[in-house]
Amino acid sequence: MTQKTAKAWVSGRVQGVGFRYFTAHQAQKWGLTGYAKNLNDGRVEVLASGDEYSVELLLDWLKTGPPTSTVTEIAVEYVDHEPMTRFSMY
């Protein structure tokens, strides 16, 4: 399988609504590593690393996020593959 790493910036009502927790849960379910962290400007940054199919599944899921959030925009950049040991929240 092809390995891929994507960095995404998610805008909207995504802080204080469990967005990072739900993102970590989805990422772990699909066997991804990386992180989800709150940014000072109100966005959430997500780095997802793993097989190409699973990374794309998570990016698709980020477009809506959990029912507690309201996603208004998502920007994605593919970066050099960064294998990590787990998916973390910051």
Side-chain angles (χ1 to χ4, degrees), residues 27-56:
Q28 291 165 354
K29 181 172 94 174
W30 291 320
L32 298 172
T33 60
Y35 62 79
K37 71 177 180 179
N38 286 338
L39 300 177
N40 291 335
D41 62 7
R43 296 178 299 162
V44 171
E45 179 179 290
V46 176
L47 180 81
S49 215
D51 72 82
E52 184 175 12
Y53 179 75
S54 296
V55 169
E56 293 303 323

Side-chain angles (χ1 to χ4, degrees), residues 14-81:
V14 293
Q15 289 191 11
V17 294
F19 193 91
R20 292 176 303 143
Y21 170 82
F22 284 107
T23 299
H25 177 76
Q26 291 300 123
Q28 291 165 354
K29 181 172 94 174
W30 291 320
L32 298 172
T33 60
Y35 62 79
K37 71 177 180 179
N38 286 338
L39 300 177
N40 291 335
D41 62 7
R43 296 178 299 162
V44 171
E45 179 179 290
V46 176
L47 180 81
S49 215
D51 72 82
E52 184 175 12
Y53 179 75
S54 296
V55 169
E56 293 303 323
L57 279 175
L58 184 67
L59 292 176
D60 237 17
W61 180 87
L62 289 174
K63 293 175 185 173
T64 352
T68 53
S69 69
T70 305
V71 175
T72 57
E73 185 179 352
I74 178 172
V76 176
E77 176 183 321
Y78 294 96
V79 297
D80 291 335
H81 181 62

